[in-house]
C-alpha cells in the first residue's frame, strides 16, 4: 500500500492470486486502487458490473465480494481466460461472475441486452476511448465508469522525459492523454482522475 490506510483484508486464496500475479508479471490492480474501487462499490451498490480486462480474475472476484454484484468480465488472452475460469470456480462463483473469452472490441453482442451500474475499464490502454464509446451506452442512470492505469506509471504526466521513450510507448502515452482530454471534456459525465494506485478515473453519468 502506498499511502492509504485500510482494514480491508485478503483471504488466503486472494493472497495466492496476488503472489501468482507478482511472480508472473500479471498486472492486477494495486492494493490502493482496489481499496478505492471497493469503496465506490460499497457506496454505489451496483447490481451488475462490466469489467474489461479479467486477467486471472482477481479484481472480478474482489468486486463481486463487496456487495454481491453480478460481474461480466471480458478477456482475450487464452491463458488468462483459462486461469480466470479456474480461479472463479475455486471460489464457487461461476453463477455470479461470467467470463467472456473475446477481444473486448468484439464482445458487445454478448452483453448488449444488459444494463450495467458500473463499468471498470482495465485492459489495453491504447483502446480506452473505444471501450468507453462502445460500452457506456449500456450504463444505467447515474452509472459509474472507473478507468484504471490512467497515469501509466506516471508517464502520462511526465512531459520532461517524453522524448526519451520509445515510439510505441510515446504512442501509448499520447493515446491515454487524448483519452484524458476526452473524458474531462465529456459533458455527460462528472469526471475526476485520482492519483491513486496507477491513476484511477471516476466518471459519473449526469
Ligand atoms: N482487472 C485485472 C487486471 C487486468 S490486466 C485485475 O486487476 O485483477 C489487463 C488484461 O486485459 C490482460 O489480461 C489482457 O489480456 C486483457 N486485455 C487487454 N486488451 C484487451 C482487449 N482488447 N479485450 C479483452 N481483453 C484485453
Ligand atoms: Mg490495471
Amino acid at each position: 500500500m502506498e499511502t492509504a490506510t485500510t482494514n480491508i483484508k485478503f483471504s488466503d486464496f486472494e493472497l495466492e492470486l496476488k503472489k501468482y500475479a507478482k511472480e508472473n508479471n500479471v498486472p492486477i490492480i494495486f492494493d490502493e486502487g482496489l481499496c478505492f474501487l471497493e469503496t465506490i462499490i460499497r457506496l454505489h451498490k451496483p447490481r451488475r458490473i462490466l469489467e474489461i480486462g479479467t486477467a486471472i480474475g482477481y479484481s472480478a472476484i474482489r468486486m463481486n465480494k463487496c456487495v454481491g454484484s453480478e460481474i461480466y468480465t471480458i478477456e482475450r488472452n487464452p491463458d488468462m481466460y483459462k486461469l480466470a475460469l479456474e480461479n472463479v470456480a475455486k471460489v464457487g462463483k461461476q453463477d455470479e461472475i461470467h467470463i467472456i473469452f473475446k477481444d473486448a472490441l468484439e464482445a458487445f453482442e454478448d452483453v448488449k441486452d444488459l444494463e450495467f451500474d458500473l463499468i471498470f475499464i482495465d485492459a489495453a490502454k491504447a483502446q480506452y476511448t473505444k471501450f468507453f464509446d462502445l460500452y457506456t451506452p449500456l450504463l444505467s442512470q447515474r452509472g459509474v465508469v472507473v478507468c484504471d492505469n490512467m497515469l501509466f506509471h506516471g508517464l502520462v504526466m511526465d512531459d520532461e522525459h517524453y522524448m526519451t521513450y520509445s515510439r510505441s510507448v510515446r504512442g501509448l502515452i499520447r493515446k491515454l492523454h487524448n483519452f484524458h482530454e476526452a473524458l474531462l471534456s465529456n459533458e455527460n459525465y462528472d469526471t475526476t482522475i485520482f492519483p491513486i494506485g496507477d491513476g484511477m478515473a471516476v466518471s459519473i453519468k449526469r
Side-chain angles (χ1 to χ4, degrees):
M1 195 79 51
E2 286 98 272
T3 53
T5 305
T6 182
N7 67 358
I8 286 178
K9 299 258 183 328
F10 296 97
S11 69
D12 288 344
F13 182 63
E14 289 158 0
L15 291 173
E16 258 178 56
L17 294 182
K18 283 171 63 155
K19 183 158 173 273
Y20 179 90
K22 193 167 185 184
E23 288 172 359
N24 295 278
N25 296 315
V26 181
I28 61 168
I29 189 167
F30 293 171
D31 286 353
E32 197 184 45
L34 184 68
C35 292
F36 185 62
L37 180 60
E38 292 188 355
T39 301
I40 292 170
I41 292 173
R42 290 198 171 85
L43 288 169
H44 185 55
K45 303 182 183 71
R47 275 156 306 164
R48 196 180 287 128
I49 297 175
L50 176 66
E51 174 180 62
I52 302 175
T54 317
I56 59 174
Y58 171 72
S59 54
I61 289 169
R62 287 291 307 200
M63 288 194 293
N64 163 263
K65 203 167 152 181
C66 291
V67 297
S69 311
E70 182 181 24
I71 315 274
Y72 283 77
T73 180
I74 309 172
E75 176 58 56
R76 69 176 173 191
N77 176 315
D79 299 327
M80 289 294 126
Y81 171 69
K82 191 168 161 280
L83 282 169
L85 273 183
E86 283 173 20
N87 290 331
V88 166
K90 278 184 190 161
V91 294
K93 293 290 184 178
Q94 310 88 309
D95 296 340
E96 293 171 39
I97 302 176
H98 313 281
I99 312 172
I100 300 167
F101 176 41
K102 276 194 184 163
D103 190 298
L105 295 177
E106 285 153 20
F108 184 73
E109 279 295 309
D110 294 62
V111 294
K112 70 171 189 331
D113 297 325
L114 302 170
E115 191 176 65
F116 295 95
D117 307 304
L118 189 143
I119 298 178
F120 177 45
I121 302 182
D122 191 22
K125 290 170 262 297
Q127 299 173 322
Y128 272 22
T129 304
K130 287 182 182 160
F131 297 145
F132 188 94
D133 292 345
L134 184 59
Y135 289 105
T136 48
L138 305 179
L139 257 193
S140 55
Q141 269 202 2
R142 305 274 158 198
V144 177
V145 186
V146 178
C147 301
D148 191 28
N149 306 99
M150 290 295 287
L151 300 179
F152 193 27
H153 314 293
L155 297 187
V156 172
M157 296 306 184
D158 186 1
D159 290 337
E160 193 185 329
H161 296 100
Y162 182 70
M163 286 312 291
T164 66
Y165 301 124
S166 69
R167 269 180 74 118
S168 63
V169 170
R170 291 207 302 267
L172 253 186
I173 294 175
R174 211 165 42 238
K175 283 190 176 131
L176 253 189
H177 182 76
N178 291 343
F179 180 61
H180 275 209
E181 300 291 304
L183 254 191
L184 292 169
S185 61
N186 187 330
E187 294 190 347
N188 299 319
Y189 294 84
D190 290 306
T191 294
T192 303
I193 301 172
F194 294 89
I196 287 174
D198 193 24
M200 297 190 82
V202 181
S203 303
I204 303 172
K205 199 167 155 186
R206 282 184 183 157

